[in-house]
C-alpha cells in the first residue's frame, strides 16, 4: 500500500528523528545513566505505547481532511509546516546547550516507570501535532486506504523508536562518563535535527492534497 520510495525515506527520516536529542530520548538516557538498563527499556516501552494513541488519532483525523476540505487540509498543512520549522529553529538555537543529566534516581518500580512513560507521551500535545505534520508526507492518496497507510507508518515508527531508544538507554548506562566528556556530539546532533526538520517542513508546505 505504501510506495517503496516513500517507505525508505520514512525509515531514514524516522531514524534520524529518533537519534536526535529530544525530551523523550534524553529522559530514556537519564534512566539508563541514573538507574539501570531495564529501567531505560521499560520507560521506552511506556513512551512508545503512547504512540499508538497519536497514530490512531492522526490516521483517522487526516483521512477526513484528505477526503473533504481543501481549506482544512491547507490550514493543517501550514500549521504543521510552521511547527516543524519552529522546532527546527529551537534545535539549532540550543545546539550549544550542555546535556542536562541532573534528574535524580526515582524509587518507583518498573510498572510505575512504564505508566509514567506512557502518560508523558500521550499528554504531550506536541507529539500529536508532530504526527499530524509528519506521517501524511509519506502517504500516497492514489494508493487509497489512507488511515491504514498511516497506521502502518506509525507502527514502523514505534518499532524503530523502541530499538533506538533502548540502545540509547543501554549506551547511557554503559558509557555515561565518556558521553559527558564529548559535548560536541549534542551540538552536531541538534544541527542534523534542524536540517531534517526544515526539509520536512518545506516538503509539507509545498505538498498537494
Amino acid at each position: 500500500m505504501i510506495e517503496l520510495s516513500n517507505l525508505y525515506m520514512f525509515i531514514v527520516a524516522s531514524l534520524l528523528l529518533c537519534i536526535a536529542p529530544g525530551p523523550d530520548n534524553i529522559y530514556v538516557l537519564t534512566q539508563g545513566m541514573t538507574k539501570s538498563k531495564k529501567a531505560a527499556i521499560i520507560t521506552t516501552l511506556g513512551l512508545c505505547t503512547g504512540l499508538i494513541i497519536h497514530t490512531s488519532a492522526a490516521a483517522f483525523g487526516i483521512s477526513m481532511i484528505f477526503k473533504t476540505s481543501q481549506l482544512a487540509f491547507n490550514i493543517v498543512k501550514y500549521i504543521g509546516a510552521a511547527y516543524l520549522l519552529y522546532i527546527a529553529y529551537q534545535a539549532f538555537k540550543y545546539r550549544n546547550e550542555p546535556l542536562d543529566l541532573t534528574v535524580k534516581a526515582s524509587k518507583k518500580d518498573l510498572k510505575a516507570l512504564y505508566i509514567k512513560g506512557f502518560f508523558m507521551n500521550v499528554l504531550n500535545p506536541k507529539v500529536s501535532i508532530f504526527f499530524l505534520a509528519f506521517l501524511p508526507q509519506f502517504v500516497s492518496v492514489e494508493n487509497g486506504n489512507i488511515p491504514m497507510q498511516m497506521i502502518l507508518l506509525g507502527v514502523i515508527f514505534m518499532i524503530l523508536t523502541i530499538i533506538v531508544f533502548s540502545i540509547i538507554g543501554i549506551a547511557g548506562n554503559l558509557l555515561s562518563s565518556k558521553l559527558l566528556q564529548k559535548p560536541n556530539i549534542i551540538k552536531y546532533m541538534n544541527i542534523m535535527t534542524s536540517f531534517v526538520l526544515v526539509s520536512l517542513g518545506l516538503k509539507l508546505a509545498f505538498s498537494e492534497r
Side-chain angles (χ1 to χ4, degrees):
M1 289 169 48
I2 301 173
E3 294 180 2
L4 284 180
S5 59
N6 282 349
L7 183 60
Y8 295 147
M9 287 191 297
F10 177 78
I11 290 174
V12 171
S14 296
L15 285 172
L16 289 173
L17 291 169
C18 289
I19 294 169
D24 287 349
N25 56 15
I26 289 178
Y27 181 70
V28 171
L29 180 65
T30 301
Q31 298 303 305
M33 297 182 75
T34 61
K35 296 176 185 173
S36 66
K37 300 172 189 176
K38 184 178 287 187
I41 293 172
I42 293 297
T43 300
T44 294
L45 293 176
L47 289 166
C48 291
T49 303
L51 294 178
I52 297 173
I53 307 299
H54 294 296
T55 298
S56 300
F60 294 106
I62 288 295
S63 66
M64 292 303 296
I65 292 173
F66 272 122
K67 293 178 180 178
T68 56
S69 171
Q70 179 69 49
L71 176 60
F73 175 82
N74 285 337
I75 290 172
V76 172
K77 178 179 74 171
Y78 291 126
I79 290 175
Y83 175 71
L84 287 170
L85 294 175
Y86 171 74
I87 58 177
Y89 164 74
Q90 291 292 312
F92 186 80
K93 179 180 178 180
Y94 297 107
R95 65 191 182 281
N96 293 317
E97 291 265 325
L99 185 61
D100 184 6
L101 297 173
T102 59
V103 178
K104 296 181 179 180
S106 171
K107 295 181 180 179
K108 294 181 179 180
D109 58 16
L110 295 178
K111 180 179 179 181
L113 284 174
Y114 175 86
I115 293 173
K116 183 176 181 180
F118 173 78
F119 281 108
M120 279 178 60
N121 189 281
V122 169
L123 298 179
N124 184 356
K126 290 185 178 181
V127 179
S128 295
I129 297 173
F130 175 76
F131 264 56
L132 287 172
F134 184 58
L135 295 183
Q137 299 180 65
F138 304 94
V139 169
S140 174
V141 179
E142 291 78 14
N143 290 339
N145 205 338
I146 294 168
M148 187 57 64
Q149 290 186 62
M150 293 184 66
I151 288 172
L152 178 58
L153 291 173
V155 170
I156 293 172
F157 187 89
M158 184 171 64
I159 293 171
L160 294 174
T161 303
I162 290 173
I163 294 171
V164 173
F165 278 25
S166 295
I167 292 173
I168 289 173
I170 293 171
N173 183 262
L174 297 174
L175 305 171
S176 57
S177 59
K178 293 184 179 180
L179 181 64
L180 292 175
Q181 293 171 4
K182 297 182 179 181
N184 280 341
I185 292 177
I186 305 303
K187 175 181 178 180
Y188 294 130
M189 289 175 72
N190 273 318
I191 291 174
M192 180 183 294
T193 303
S194 299
F195 176 78
V196 171
L197 293 174
V198 167
S199 300
L200 292 175
L202 293 176
K203 184 177 186 296
L204 178 60
F206 292 103
S207 65
E208 297 295 334
R209 183 163 70 95

